[in-house]
Short mmCIF file of all heavy atoms in Angstrom, two decimals:
data_model
loop_
_atom_site.label_atom_id
_atom_site.label_comp_id
_atom_site.label_asym_id
_atom_site.label_seq_id
_atom_site.Cartn_x
_atom_site.Cartn_y
_atom_site.Cartn_z
N LYS N 1114 34.57 -76.54 5.31
CA LYS N 1114 35.35 -75.44 5.90
C LYS N 1114 36.80 -75.84 6.17
O LYS N 1114 37.68 -74.98 6.27
CB LYS N 1114 34.69 -74.96 7.19
CG LYS N 1114 33.46 -74.11 6.91
CD LYS N 1114 32.74 -73.70 8.19
CE LYS N 1114 31.55 -72.81 7.85
NZ LYS N 1114 30.49 -72.89 8.87
N LEU N 1115 37.05 -77.15 6.29
CA LEU N 1115 38.44 -77.61 6.40
C LEU N 1115 39.16 -77.55 5.06
O LEU N 1115 40.37 -77.78 4.99
CB LEU N 1115 38.49 -79.05 6.90
CG LEU N 1115 38.28 -79.33 8.38
CD1 LEU N 1115 38.46 -80.81 8.64
CD2 LEU N 1115 39.24 -78.53 9.23
N GLY N 1116 38.40 -77.31 3.99
CA GLY N 1116 39.01 -77.22 2.67
C GLY N 1116 38.94 -78.49 1.86
O GLY N 1116 39.65 -78.65 0.86
N ALA N 1117 38.04 -79.39 2.26
CA ALA N 1117 37.98 -80.69 1.58
C ALA N 1117 37.28 -80.62 0.23
O ALA N 1117 37.28 -81.59 -0.52
CB ALA N 1117 37.26 -81.71 2.47
N GLY N 1118 36.68 -79.48 -0.08
CA GLY N 1118 36.04 -79.33 -1.39
C GLY N 1118 34.84 -80.25 -1.52
O GLY N 1118 34.11 -80.49 -0.55
N TYR N 1119 34.65 -80.80 -2.70
CA TYR N 1119 33.46 -81.63 -2.94
C TYR N 1119 33.54 -82.97 -2.24
O TYR N 1119 32.57 -83.74 -2.27
CB TYR N 1119 33.22 -81.82 -4.45
CG TYR N 1119 34.31 -82.57 -5.16
CD1 TYR N 1119 34.35 -83.95 -5.14
CD2 TYR N 1119 35.31 -81.88 -5.84
CE1 TYR N 1119 35.35 -84.64 -5.78
CE2 TYR N 1119 36.32 -82.56 -6.50
CZ TYR N 1119 36.34 -83.94 -6.46
OH TYR N 1119 37.33 -84.62 -7.09
N ARG N 1120 34.67 -83.27 -1.60
CA ARG N 1120 34.79 -84.52 -0.84
C ARG N 1120 34.17 -84.41 0.55
O ARG N 1120 34.09 -85.40 1.29
CB ARG N 1120 36.25 -84.91 -0.71
CG ARG N 1120 36.98 -84.96 -2.04
CD ARG N 1120 38.48 -84.92 -1.85
NE ARG N 1120 39.16 -84.57 -3.09
CZ ARG N 1120 39.30 -83.31 -3.52
NH1 ARG N 1120 38.84 -82.30 -2.81
NH2 ARG N 1120 39.91 -83.08 -4.66
N ALA N 1121 33.73 -83.21 0.94
CA ALA N 1121 33.21 -82.98 2.29
C ALA N 1121 32.05 -83.93 2.61
O ALA N 1121 32.01 -84.53 3.69
CB ALA N 1121 32.77 -81.53 2.43
N ALA N 1122 31.13 -84.07 1.68
CA ALA N 1122 29.98 -84.94 1.93
C ALA N 1122 30.40 -86.40 2.04
O ALA N 1122 29.82 -87.17 2.83
CB ALA N 1122 28.95 -84.78 0.80
N TYR N 1123 31.41 -86.79 1.27
CA TYR N 1123 31.90 -88.17 1.34
C TYR N 1123 32.45 -88.47 2.74
O TYR N 1123 32.23 -89.55 3.29
CB TYR N 1123 33.02 -88.43 0.33
CG TYR N 1123 32.70 -88.11 -1.12
CD1 TYR N 1123 33.73 -87.92 -2.03
CD2 TYR N 1123 31.39 -88.02 -1.59
CE1 TYR N 1123 33.48 -87.64 -3.35
CE2 TYR N 1123 31.13 -87.74 -2.91
CZ TYR N 1123 32.18 -87.54 -3.79
OH TYR N 1123 31.94 -87.26 -5.12
N LEU N 1124 33.19 -87.50 3.29
CA LEU N 1124 33.82 -87.71 4.60
C LEU N 1124 32.75 -87.88 5.68
O LEU N 1124 32.83 -88.80 6.50
CB LEU N 1124 34.73 -86.52 4.94
CG LEU N 1124 35.95 -86.36 4.03
CD1 LEU N 1124 36.73 -85.11 4.40
CD2 LEU N 1124 36.85 -87.58 4.08
N ALA N 1125 31.76 -87.02 5.66
CA ALA N 1125 30.71 -87.09 6.68
C ALA N 1125 29.95 -88.42 6.57
O ALA N 1125 29.73 -89.12 7.57
CB ALA N 1125 29.75 -85.91 6.53
N LYS N 1126 29.60 -88.79 5.36
CA LYS N 1126 28.79 -89.99 5.17
C LYS N 1126 29.57 -91.27 5.49
O LYS N 1126 29.05 -92.18 6.14
CB LYS N 1126 28.25 -90.03 3.73
CG LYS N 1126 27.20 -91.09 3.54
CD LYS N 1126 26.36 -90.84 2.29
CE LYS N 1126 25.26 -91.89 2.18
NZ LYS N 1126 24.49 -91.75 0.93
N THR N 1127 30.82 -91.32 5.05
CA THR N 1127 31.63 -92.51 5.28
C THR N 1127 32.00 -92.65 6.76
O THR N 1127 31.99 -93.76 7.31
CB THR N 1127 32.87 -92.49 4.39
OG1 THR N 1127 32.46 -92.74 3.04
CG2 THR N 1127 33.88 -93.54 4.79
N ALA N 1128 32.29 -91.55 7.43
CA ALA N 1128 32.58 -91.61 8.86
C ALA N 1128 31.39 -92.20 9.62
O ALA N 1128 31.55 -93.03 10.52
CB ALA N 1128 32.92 -90.21 9.39
N ARG N 1129 30.19 -91.79 9.23
CA ARG N 1129 28.99 -92.30 9.90
C ARG N 1129 28.79 -93.79 9.63
O ARG N 1129 28.42 -94.55 10.52
CB ARG N 1129 27.76 -91.51 9.47
CG ARG N 1129 27.75 -90.14 10.14
CD ARG N 1129 26.65 -89.22 9.68
NE ARG N 1129 26.94 -87.87 10.18
CZ ARG N 1129 26.26 -86.78 9.83
NH1 ARG N 1129 25.26 -86.86 8.99
NH2 ARG N 1129 26.59 -85.60 10.34
N ALA N 1130 29.06 -94.20 8.39
CA ALA N 1130 28.90 -95.62 8.05
C ALA N 1130 29.85 -96.50 8.86
O ALA N 1130 29.50 -97.62 9.24
CB ALA N 1130 29.12 -95.83 6.56
N VAL N 1131 31.04 -96.00 9.14
CA VAL N 1131 31.98 -96.77 9.96
C VAL N 1131 31.58 -96.70 11.43
O VAL N 1131 31.57 -97.72 12.12
CB VAL N 1131 33.43 -96.25 9.76
CG1 VAL N 1131 34.39 -96.94 10.73
CG2 VAL N 1131 33.88 -96.47 8.32
N ALA N 1132 31.23 -95.51 11.88
CA ALA N 1132 30.89 -95.33 13.30
C ALA N 1132 29.66 -96.14 13.69
O ALA N 1132 29.59 -96.69 14.80
CB ALA N 1132 30.67 -93.85 13.61
N ASP N 1133 28.69 -96.23 12.80
CA ASP N 1133 27.45 -96.95 13.17
C ASP N 1133 27.51 -98.44 12.84
O ASP N 1133 26.53 -99.16 13.02
CB ASP N 1133 26.22 -96.28 12.54
CG ASP N 1133 26.11 -96.50 11.03
OD1 ASP N 1133 26.77 -97.42 10.50
OD2 ASP N 1133 25.37 -95.75 10.38
N GLY N 1134 28.65 -98.90 12.34
CA GLY N 1134 28.83 -100.33 12.13
C GLY N 1134 28.31 -100.86 10.81
O GLY N 1134 28.32 -102.08 10.58
N THR N 1135 27.86 -99.98 9.92
CA THR N 1135 27.43 -100.43 8.59
C THR N 1135 28.56 -101.18 7.89
O THR N 1135 28.33 -102.19 7.22
CB THR N 1135 26.99 -99.23 7.73
OG1 THR N 1135 25.96 -98.52 8.42
CG2 THR N 1135 26.51 -99.67 6.37
N VAL N 1136 29.78 -100.68 8.05
CA VAL N 1136 30.97 -101.37 7.53
C VAL N 1136 31.93 -101.61 8.68
O VAL N 1136 32.23 -100.70 9.45
CB VAL N 1136 31.65 -100.54 6.43
CG1 VAL N 1136 33.05 -101.06 6.14
CG2 VAL N 1136 30.81 -100.54 5.16
N ASP N 1137 32.36 -102.86 8.80
CA ASP N 1137 33.32 -103.25 9.85
C ASP N 1137 34.70 -103.38 9.21
O ASP N 1137 35.00 -104.38 8.56
CB ASP N 1137 32.87 -104.57 10.48
CG ASP N 1137 33.90 -105.09 11.47
OD1 ASP N 1137 34.81 -104.33 11.86
OD2 ASP N 1137 33.80 -106.28 11.84
N LEU N 1138 35.52 -102.37 9.41
CA LEU N 1138 36.83 -102.36 8.75
C LEU N 1138 37.72 -103.51 9.21
O LEU N 1138 38.53 -104.01 8.44
CB LEU N 1138 37.52 -101.01 8.97
CG LEU N 1138 36.84 -99.81 8.31
CD1 LEU N 1138 37.56 -98.51 8.69
CD2 LEU N 1138 36.80 -99.96 6.79
N GLN N 1139 37.58 -103.92 10.47
CA GLN N 1139 38.42 -105.02 10.97
C GLN N 1139 38.16 -106.33 10.23
O GLN N 1139 39.05 -107.15 10.05
CB GLN N 1139 38.19 -105.23 12.47
CG GLN N 1139 38.87 -104.20 13.36
CD GLN N 1139 40.36 -104.08 13.08
OE1 GLN N 1139 40.84 -103.02 12.70
NE2 GLN N 1139 41.10 -105.17 13.24
N SER N 1140 36.91 -106.49 9.79
CA SER N 1140 36.55 -107.77 9.14
C SER N 1140 37.23 -107.94 7.78
O SER N 1140 37.30 -109.04 7.25
CB SER N 1140 35.03 -107.85 8.97
OG SER N 1140 34.60 -106.96 7.96
N LEU N 1141 37.73 -106.86 7.21
CA LEU N 1141 38.27 -106.94 5.85
C LEU N 1141 39.60 -107.67 5.77
O LEU N 1141 39.99 -108.16 4.72
CB LEU N 1141 38.42 -105.54 5.25
CG LEU N 1141 37.15 -104.71 5.18
CD1 LEU N 1141 37.38 -103.44 4.36
CD2 LEU N 1141 36.00 -105.51 4.57
N TYR N 1142 40.30 -107.76 6.91
CA TYR N 1142 41.57 -108.50 6.90
C TYR N 1142 41.35 -109.95 6.47
O TYR N 1142 42.23 -110.57 5.88
CB TYR N 1142 42.20 -108.50 8.30
CG TYR N 1142 42.82 -107.19 8.71
CD1 TYR N 1142 42.19 -106.36 9.64
CD2 TYR N 1142 44.05 -106.79 8.21
CE1 TYR N 1142 42.77 -105.16 10.04
CE2 TYR N 1142 44.64 -105.59 8.60
CZ TYR N 1142 43.99 -104.78 9.51
OH TYR N 1142 44.57 -103.60 9.90
N ARG N 1143 40.18 -110.49 6.81
CA ARG N 1143 39.91 -111.91 6.55
C ARG N 1143 39.38 -112.17 5.15
O ARG N 1143 39.26 -113.32 4.74
CB ARG N 1143 38.91 -112.44 7.58
CG ARG N 1143 39.49 -112.53 8.98
CD ARG N 1143 38.48 -113.07 9.99
NE ARG N 1143 37.72 -112.01 10.65
CZ ARG N 1143 36.45 -111.72 10.41
NH1 ARG N 1143 35.77 -112.42 9.52
NH2 ARG N 1143 35.84 -110.74 11.06
N LEU N 1144 39.01 -111.12 4.43
CA LEU N 1144 38.43 -111.31 3.09
C LEU N 1144 39.51 -111.27 2.01
O LEU N 1144 40.58 -110.71 2.21
CB LEU N 1144 37.41 -110.20 2.82
CG LEU N 1144 36.25 -110.09 3.80
CD1 LEU N 1144 35.30 -108.98 3.34
CD2 LEU N 1144 35.51 -111.41 3.93
N ASP N 1145 39.21 -111.88 0.87
CA ASP N 1145 40.14 -111.75 -0.25
C ASP N 1145 39.98 -110.36 -0.87
O ASP N 1145 39.08 -109.60 -0.52
CB ASP N 1145 39.95 -112.88 -1.27
CG ASP N 1145 38.60 -112.82 -1.96
OD1 ASP N 1145 37.93 -111.77 -1.92
OD2 ASP N 1145 38.20 -113.84 -2.55
N THR N 1146 40.88 -110.07 -1.80
CA THR N 1146 40.93 -108.72 -2.35
C THR N 1146 39.61 -108.30 -2.99
O THR N 1146 39.14 -107.18 -2.77
CB THR N 1146 42.07 -108.62 -3.39
OG1 THR N 1146 43.31 -108.83 -2.71
CG2 THR N 1146 42.09 -107.27 -4.07
N LYS N 1147 39.00 -109.20 -3.74
CA LYS N 1147 37.78 -108.85 -4.46
C LYS N 1147 36.63 -108.53 -3.49
O LYS N 1147 35.92 -107.54 -3.66
CB LYS N 1147 37.38 -109.98 -5.40
CG LYS N 1147 36.35 -109.57 -6.43
CD LYS N 1147 36.20 -110.63 -7.52
CE LYS N 1147 35.20 -110.16 -8.57
NZ LYS N 1147 34.97 -111.18 -9.59
N ALA N 1148 36.48 -109.37 -2.48
CA ALA N 1148 35.38 -109.17 -1.53
C ALA N 1148 35.61 -107.92 -0.67
O ALA N 1148 34.70 -107.13 -0.43
CB ALA N 1148 35.24 -110.40 -0.64
N ALA N 1149 36.86 -107.74 -0.22
CA ALA N 1149 37.17 -106.57 0.60
C ALA N 1149 36.98 -105.30 -0.21
O ALA N 1149 36.47 -104.28 0.28
CB ALA N 1149 38.61 -106.66 1.12
N SER N 1150 37.36 -105.37 -1.48
CA SER N 1150 37.22 -104.22 -2.37
C SER N 1150 35.75 -103.84 -2.55
O SER N 1150 35.39 -102.66 -2.51
CB SER N 1150 37.85 -104.58 -3.72
OG SER N 1150 37.81 -103.50 -4.59
N ALA N 1151 34.90 -104.83 -2.72
CA ALA N 1151 33.46 -104.56 -2.89
C ALA N 1151 32.89 -103.87 -1.66
O ALA N 1151 32.09 -102.94 -1.77
CB ALA N 1151 32.72 -105.86 -3.17
N THR N 1152 33.32 -104.31 -0.47
CA THR N 1152 32.85 -103.67 0.76
C THR N 1152 33.30 -102.22 0.83
O THR N 1152 32.51 -101.32 1.12
CB THR N 1152 33.37 -104.45 1.98
OG1 THR N 1152 32.94 -105.80 1.88
CG2 THR N 1152 32.84 -103.83 3.27
N LEU N 1153 34.56 -101.99 0.55
CA LEU N 1153 35.08 -100.62 0.61
C LEU N 1153 34.36 -99.71 -0.39
O LEU N 1153 34.05 -98.56 -0.10
CB LEU N 1153 36.58 -100.60 0.35
CG LEU N 1153 37.46 -101.13 1.49
CD1 LEU N 1153 38.92 -101.24 1.05
CD2 LEU N 1153 37.35 -100.25 2.72
N LYS N 1154 34.09 -100.24 -1.58
CA LYS N 1154 33.46 -99.43 -2.62
C LYS N 1154 32.00 -99.12 -2.32
O LYS N 1154 31.39 -98.27 -2.98
CB LYS N 1154 33.61 -100.10 -3.99
CG LYS N 1154 35.03 -99.97 -4.53
CD LYS N 1154 35.17 -100.46 -5.96
CE LYS N 1154 35.11 -101.97 -6.05
NZ LYS N 1154 35.42 -102.45 -7.41
N SER N 1155 31.44 -99.78 -1.31
CA SER N 1155 30.08 -99.43 -0.90
C SER N 1155 30.07 -98.12 -0.11
O SER N 1155 29.02 -97.54 0.13
CB SER N 1155 29.48 -100.55 -0.04
OG SER N 1155 30.06 -100.58 1.25
N LEU N 1156 31.25 -97.67 0.30
CA LEU N 1156 31.36 -96.42 1.05
C LEU N 1156 31.45 -95.23 0.09
O LEU N 1156 32.11 -95.31 -0.95
CB LEU N 1156 32.61 -96.45 1.94
CG LEU N 1156 32.55 -97.47 3.08
CD1 LEU N 1156 33.95 -97.71 3.65
CD2 LEU N 1156 31.60 -97.00 4.17
N MET N 1157 30.80 -94.14 0.47
CA MET N 1157 30.77 -92.94 -0.37
C MET N 1157 32.17 -92.34 -0.47
O MET N 1157 32.84 -92.13 0.54
CB MET N 1157 29.80 -91.93 0.24
CG MET N 1157 29.46 -90.77 -0.64
SD MET N 1157 28.62 -91.26 -2.15
CE MET N 1157 27.02 -91.73 -1.49
N GLY N 1158 32.60 -92.12 -1.70
CA GLY N 1158 33.92 -91.53 -1.94
C GLY N 1158 34.99 -92.55 -2.25
O GLY N 1158 36.14 -92.18 -2.50
N VAL N 1159 34.64 -93.84 -2.21
CA VAL N 1159 35.60 -94.90 -2.47
C VAL N 1159 35.27 -95.59 -3.79
O VAL N 1159 34.26 -96.28 -3.90
CB VAL N 1159 35.61 -95.95 -1.34
CG1 VAL N 1159 36.66 -97.02 -1.64
CG2 VAL N 1159 35.89 -95.29 0.00
N GLY N 1160 36.11 -95.39 -4.78
CA GLY N 1160 36.02 -96.11 -6.05
C GLY N 1160 37.12 -97.15 -6.12
O GLY N 1160 37.75 -97.47 -5.11
N GLN N 1161 37.37 -97.68 -7.31
CA GLN N 1161 38.36 -98.75 -7.47
C GLN N 1161 39.76 -98.32 -7.03
O GLN N 1161 40.46 -99.05 -6.35
CB GLN N 1161 38.41 -99.21 -8.92
CG GLN N 1161 39.33 -100.39 -9.15
CD GLN N 1161 38.82 -101.65 -8.46
OE1 GLN N 1161 37.77 -102.16 -8.81
NE2 GLN N 1161 39.55 -102.12 -7.47
#
Side-chain angles (χ1 to χ4, degrees):
Chain N
K1114 284 176 178 153
L1115 282 184
Y1119 63 83
R1120 307 162 197 82
Y1123 305 160
L1124 295 176
K1126 192 161 183 184
T1127 288
R1129 285 174 193 172
V1131 174
D1133 73 17
T1135 303
V1136 166
D1137 174 14
L1138 294 175
Q1139 283 307 119
S1140 72
L1141 302 189
Y1142 286 105
R1143 290 181 268 106
L1144 301 183
D1145 65 17
T1146 296
K1147 194 168 182 184
S1150 183
T1152 304
L1153 287 172
K1154 285 188 287 188
S1155 73
L1156 293 164
M1157 192 62 71
V1159 181
Q1161 184 67 65

